[in-house]
Amino acid sequence: MDSTHATDLWDRVVGTQPDPSTWLVVLTAVLALAAVAPYGLWRVTRNAITIAHEGGHGLVALLSGRRLDGIRLHSDTSGLTVSRGKPTGIGMILTAAAGYTAPSLLGLLGAWLLAAGHITALLWGATALLAAMLVMIRNAYGVLTVVLAGAAFVLVSWLTGPAVQAAFAYGVVWFLLLGGVRPAFELQRKRRHGGAPDSDADQLARLTNVPPVVWLGFFHVVSLCSLTGGGRWLLGL
């Protein structure tokens, strides 16, 4: 690739694209809600939230100086991220707290990028994150899930026009914002019935001596505030 092509490619990534029409933004929000609300469909689409959840654990583990051993994604939409390092302390706390907050915070970051007109940067950035995560996947189902997600971003980025790219990007961000809300409520319901004894909230309680219900409240605050703020950015309010 010569310098001219490299410059053109860089300008394409970091440049801005026109804002889509309001009806497209609203339509993608409705479609994202339709992918989150029905339980039967959610059992499938929740895989994408699990990717973000486990990716959040992995990324924060690395940033906090821990050694990331691997990530597993399972067909029941559960996942497991294994890291090594000091079993207590701020690094472990941040790593444990990153899972349930990651989808919503990624959605908030995506909303900020879209509000600034950086549709291409969002698509390429998401592709890069998925490629980096793929290296750490340690089971076949996880590889399949991440490859399919990455392929969707690559195909949309290279083979579609601006309108389709905008619709896809807005749909993904709406899905992260809306889908990031539901898991904390699901965890709360499981714990109410005696399930999920080793959940992220319970691990955080053991690490911090703060009750699990407080950490559940924290997850709710992050997801709902991200949805509110991100939604306002996407709608141009």
Side-chain angles (χ1 to χ4, degrees):
M1 181 182 293
D2 59 37
S3 59
T4 301
H5 288 162
T7 301
D8 291 341
L9 184 61
W10 176 251
D11 290 341
R12 178 185 174 190
V13 173
V14 301
T16 59
Q17 292 75 42
D19 293 333
S21 60
T22 302
W23 73 264
L24 187 145
V25 177
V26 173
L27 177 61
T28 54
V30 172
L31 292 175
L33 182 60
V36 171
Y39 177 72
L41 187 57
W42 172 244
R43 292 178 62 185
V44 177
T45 59
R46 196 182 193 278
N47 283 285
I49 297 298
T50 302
I51 291 175
H53 179 116
E54 299 303 331
H57 281 314
L59 177 61
V60 174
L62 290 173
L63 292 176
S64 61
R66 298 179 62 80
R67 176 183 174 185
L68 184 59
D69 281 352
I71 299 172
R72 291 178 176 270
L73 306 173
H74 304 133
S75 58
D76 62 355
T77 72
S78 65
L80 177 66
T81 298
V82 178
S83 63
R84 293 186 183 183
K86 187 178 178 181
T88 58
I90 187 64
M92 189 62 201
I93 293 171
L94 292 174
T95 299
Y100 277 93
T101 57
S104 295
L105 293 178
L106 285 172
L108 186 63
L109 174 61
W112 175 75
L113 286 172
L114 293 181
H118 294 294
I119 295 173
T120 302
L122 183 144
L123 296 175
W124 285 45
T127 304
L129 287 175
L130 288 168
M133 185 176 178
L134 182 61
V135 177
M136 300 308 302
I137 298 295
R138 295 293 182 263
N139 67 322
Y141 183 82
V143 169
L144 176 63
T145 304
V146 174
V147 166
L148 289 176
F153 278 93
V154 170
L155 290 174
V156 170
S157 299
W158 284 100
L159 301 180
T160 66
V164 175
Q165 291 181 13
F168 182 78
Y170 273 80
V172 167
V173 171
W174 275 120
F175 176 77
L176 288 171
L177 292 171
L178 292 165
V181 173
R182 185 163 179 172
F185 284 99
E186 293 177 335
L187 176 58
Q188 183 176 349
R189 184 170 61 253
K190 288 179 182 178
R191 295 192 76 261
R192 189 182 300 123
H193 293 89
D198 200 35
S199 69
D200 290 357
D202 293 279
Q203 292 181 42
L204 286 163
R206 290 193 290 270
L207 288 166
T208 63
N209 293 319
V210 175
V213 66
V214 176
W215 286 106
L216 271 171
F218 171 71
F219 297 156
H220 285 310
V221 168
V222 171
S223 63
L224 292 172
C225 287
S226 296
L227 175 59
T228 302
R232 289 177 62 86
W233 272 335
L234 293 175
L235 294 170
L237 301 178

